[in-house]
Structure formats: C-alpha cells, structure tokens
Amino acid sequence: LLKSTSEKQTPLQANLEDFGKKLSVLILVFCGILFAINVFRGENIGSAFMFAVALAVAAIPEALSSIVTIVLSFGTQKMAKEHAIIRKLQAVEGLGSVSVICSDKTGTLTEGVFSVDEVLPRDGVSPEELLYWAAHAELSASHPLGRSIVKAYEGTLFPDRVAELVEVTGGGVSARVEGRPVLVGKKSFLQEAGVRTEEGEDHGVTVYAALDGILLGCLRLSDRVKPGAERAVRKLRELGVSNLVMLTGDSSSAGTEVGLKLGMDGVFCGLMPAGKLEHVRRLKPETGLLAFVGDGMNDAPSLAAADIGIAMGGVGSDTALQAADVVVMKGDPLAVPLGMMLSQATERIIVQNIVLILGVKILVMVLGILGLAGMWAAVMADVGVCLLAVGNSMRIFRVKLDM
C-alpha cells in the first residue's frame, strides 16, 4: 500500500521554471525581430545588437524559479523553528491550501499513553493470569496499547519464554508463550482466528486475550486528549479547513467520545490501514488539498496517499516518518495550524516576488524600447530585482503566529 501511493505532484517552482523557459523563448524571438528591423532600417549592426541584448537581459525572468525556491527554503527554516521538519518542499506551498484534514486518534489527537483501568477475566481465570499471558505476548510489540499492558503487569517478565511473535498491523499480536499460542488484540482479530468472544459493543478501548484458542478475558484502557488538540481544531477552522475527520482503528465508543469532545465533522472507527487509505482517497476535495495527520505504522499508506502527510515525530513509527511530508517533532497538534499559517504567509510573499520581478522587468523593457534605458539599466533590473526579492523573502522570519 505504501509503495503504490508514494507518487507526488510537481511542485510550484517546476511550473514556474517551465513558464520562464517559454517566456524567455518568446522574448528572444521578439528581440531578434527588433534587431532585424533596426538593421533593415539602416542602423549600425553593433548598436542594434547591443540594443537587442539589453532588452533580453532586462526582460528574461531567469531568476523566477530560483526566487520561489529561496522563499520556500526560508519557510522551511521558519517551520523548523516551530518544531516542524519539512521533508518535501511542496508541503510548504501546499499546507496553506488544505481544506480537508483526516487525522488518526491514538498518539495524534490523544497522548497515546494508555493506562489499564479494568482487568476483566472470564470465570475461572484470575486477573494476574490474564495479565501474565497478555503482557508476555505484547512484550516486544510496538503499539502503545501493548506497552501499556506490559507496564500494568506487576510480576516478573520472562522474555526467553516468548517465541514466534507476529504483530498484525491494526489487529493485534500472536505469539507462543511457554510453547502455548496466545492472541492479544481486537475482538475481530480473535474472531478471525476462531476464538469465540462475547457479543455486544465494546466500551472505550478494549483489548482481548486468548490462550490455546480460548478466551481469557479482556482489558479496558483509557487515553487522554492532548492539551492543544481542541485549540488546534478551532484554529484550523479559522484558517479555512472545512472538513475535519478522524480515522481510527479503535472501537466506535472510544472514537466517538474523542470526536465529540474535539468537535470533529466525521468519525470513522474500527479501520484497518486499507480502510483508512480508502477514506483518504474518497474524501479528497475537488478544490483545495487533503492532509493526513498520523503517527503509527498503520498510518503510513494514508500519509503517502494524502496531498500532504504530517507525522507526529514524538511518538511516530519510523515507517510513518518516512512516508510523511512534514514531521512534527514534539507531537503537538498546534504545529498543524502553525504550519498552515506559515504556508499562507509564504504564498503571499511568493506572489509579491513574482509581481515585483515581472513588473520591474516589463518596466525596464518598455523604457528600453523607448530608448530611455540601456545595458546598465538592464543589468540593474536583472540583479537588483533579485536582491529586492531576496530581502522581501526574509520577512517570513518576522511573521507573527497568533494562536
């Protein structure tokens, strides 16, 4: 899934470079025609040639793409100061145009540090026995739920008793503990393995455990919403994001509770990686861009498929970080609206620079045709306007981020 969705669009500077090349050809043709007309009218060939060269130097926008790249680079540096590392420049120019944001829940909107609130063994099974088998099966698991279960077990752990550990992304883990098969994960994960479980809706985050194909019981865990998540959602709406959707692999009750608290427009629960990817593709808007925010291995395909992938670096998996365009180092949700504000400021400066460069060059070219500007004016228009554009670009470092 990750490999098939890793293609990205051409960035803005490539389009401007193509525009600059086509415009340069037209200008050279125009200057050539002027040269031929002046020679035909009897002017000195040397003077006519210098006149044509001066016009070409004044008018050809060879620095257009370079100046845009400089602005994007400055924007990247400014975002780094806000603890957001840009892995692909198109994210700087695209963040400000995002109209739909899909987000994972655990570790993205919530802290991803779970605590085991209830241990609910079946009849004939003690809480200590349930935790023993579950903790050993999760001993080497990468998911925050697994680490929380291991932490909740107060007894001695024996890593040498664990073998054949297999982690199923978005489902759970299977392992052999003391030579006996143990399954720990979602209800659906155990059911697919042939384990009979209790019917009914899970409450909150619930993890089931089975030994020798027989259900041992379940564990109920809780997670906390990150402090800046609610403020980030409000600011994103102010910045023009019209659709905020949460995509999670957790149960309906756990996902809905967080979604209602944050005021999300949509909540889709119980999703495997392919399910998240399907929703990302379906929710892409006709106008504007879609960003996906996630942190886990199961988020990597969606991060790659989104127009802009944002990974929470503080708790994110290596696969998620590799697939993302932007990495939020501290895992703070507020970095997303901050990135959008910087992107919009960068876009404004890019437009200003394009207008400045083209405006000055057109002015000097007109003055040259009228005989009021020569080679020195052409050189100053070429070099001077680039220096002015670079100076204007540095204003990105003084942008005030009002949250």
Side-chain angles (χ1 to χ4, degrees):
L1 288 171
L2 175 58
K3 184 177 180 180
S4 66
T5 54
S6 60
E7 293 298 324
K8 292 295 176 181
Q9 298 178 351
T10 305
L12 173 63
Q13 59 265 38
N15 295 329
L16 286 174
E17 184 177 356
D18 183 57
F19 168 76
K21 288 178 180 179
K22 293 178 180 178
L23 183 60
S24 298
V25 171
L26 292 176
I27 291 170
L28 288 173
V29 171
F30 176 71
C31 291
I33 293 172
L34 284 179
F35 170 74
I37 292 174
N38 288 336
V39 171
F40 181 76
R41 292 170 55 188
E43 288 191 21
N44 180 275
I45 293 178
S47 298
F49 179 75
M50 290 302 295
F51 175 74
V53 170
L55 285 181
V57 170
I60 292 177
E62 76 282 353
L64 198 59
S65 178
S66 301
I67 287 299
V68 172
T69 303
I70 288 172
V71 181
L72 295 176
S73 299
F74 286 169
T76 298
Q77 294 178 47
K78 177 65 174 177
M79 288 188 182
K81 291 183 178 180
E82 301 298 331
H83 309 288
I85 305 301
I86 304 298
R87 298 187 66 247
K88 297 174 185 177
L89 274 181
Q90 61 261 35
V92 183
E93 70 182 54
L95 264 173
S97 302
V98 168
S99 60
V100 177
I101 291 182
C102 297
S103 176
D104 177 45
K105 181 179 80 72
T106 305
T108 303
L109 297 173
T110 64
E111 293 181 350
V113 180
F114 291 85
S115 60
V116 177
D117 294 335
E118 293 182 87
V119 180
L120 304 172
R122 290 190 66 184
D123 293 339
V125 180
S126 68
E128 292 76 15
E129 186 179 0
L130 172 56
L131 274 174
Y132 172 84
W133 294 107
H136 278 83
E138 294 278 12
L139 200 53
S140 300
S142 60
H143 196 279
L145 286 171
R147 293 194 293 267
S148 301
I149 292 172
V150 173
K151 185 178 179 180
Y153 179 62
E154 297 178 351
T156 304
L157 293 167
F158 302 94
D160 57 312
R161 297 181 182 180
V162 183
E164 301 179 22
L165 175 67
V166 177
E167 188 168 1
V168 178
T169 303
V173 298
S174 65
R176 284 194 170 272
V177 182
E178 298 182 5
R180 303 171 69 181
V182 179
L183 295 172
V184 180
K186 294 180 178 179
K187 180 188 291 186
S188 59
F189 175 68
L190 270 68
Q191 289 174 339
E192 289 172 3
V195 178
R196 298 181 65 179
T197 60
E198 299 174 357
E199 298 298 328
E201 177 69 26
D202 292 335
H203 299 283
V205 180
T206 306
V207 176
Y208 291 82
L211 174 66
D212 295 329
I214 299 174
L215 183 68
L216 291 175
C218 65
L219 307 166
R220 286 182 182 163
L221 301 90
S222 62
D223 191 9
R224 292 182 298 178
V225 173
K226 288 183 177 180
E230 291 184 66
R231 192 146 54 105
V233 169
R234 288 197 301 270
K235 190 64 180 179
L236 286 170
R237 294 197 186 281
E238 292 175 10
L239 292 171
V241 178
S242 58
N243 194 11
L244 286 160
V245 179
M246 188 172 73
L247 308 177
T248 178
D250 290 345
S251 65
S252 177
S253 60
T256 302
E257 181 182 353
V258 174
L260 289 174
K261 183 174 183 179
L262 295 178
M264 306 295 281
D265 296 308
V267 178
F268 298 91
C269 304
L271 299 176
M272 299 291 280
K276 290 186 178 183
L277 177 58
E278 181 182 349
H279 278 85
V280 166
R281 287 173 169 165
R282 182 178 60 83
L283 291 167
K284 280 192 176 182
E286 293 183 4
T287 58
L289 302 177
L290 180 145
F292 182 86
V293 190
D295 70 303
M297 184 184 298
N298 58 343
D299 296 324
S302 298
L303 286 167
D307 296 310
I308 298 175
I310 305 172
M312 293 296 176
V315 293
S317 71
D318 292 342
T319 308
L321 301 184
Q322 184 181 3
D325 302 306
V326 183
V327 177
V328 179
M329 296 310 297
K330 289 189 174 182
D332 186 358
L334 285 171
V336 179
L338 284 174
M340 285 192 65
M341 293 168 67
L342 284 172
S343 175
Q344 292 173 357
T346 301
E347 185 178 357
R348 289 193 296 269
I349 291 175
I350 288 175
V351 172
Q352 292 168 7
N353 285 346
I354 292 174
V355 172
L356 175 65
I357 291 172
L358 294 179
V360 170
K361 286 185 171 290
I362 291 172
L363 175 63
V364 175
M365 185 176 181
V366 171
L367 292 175
I369 293 173
L370 297 175
L372 301 176
M375 179 61 76
W376 281 107
V379 172
M380 288 303 296
D382 187 52
V383 178
V385 74
C386 289
L387 293 176
L388 287 174
V390 171
N392 185 53
S393 302
M394 295 183 71
R395 292 193 306 108
I396 192 67
F397 295 112
R398 298 196 299 272
V399 171
K400 293 183 179 180
L401 302 173
D402 183 17
M403 291 297 295

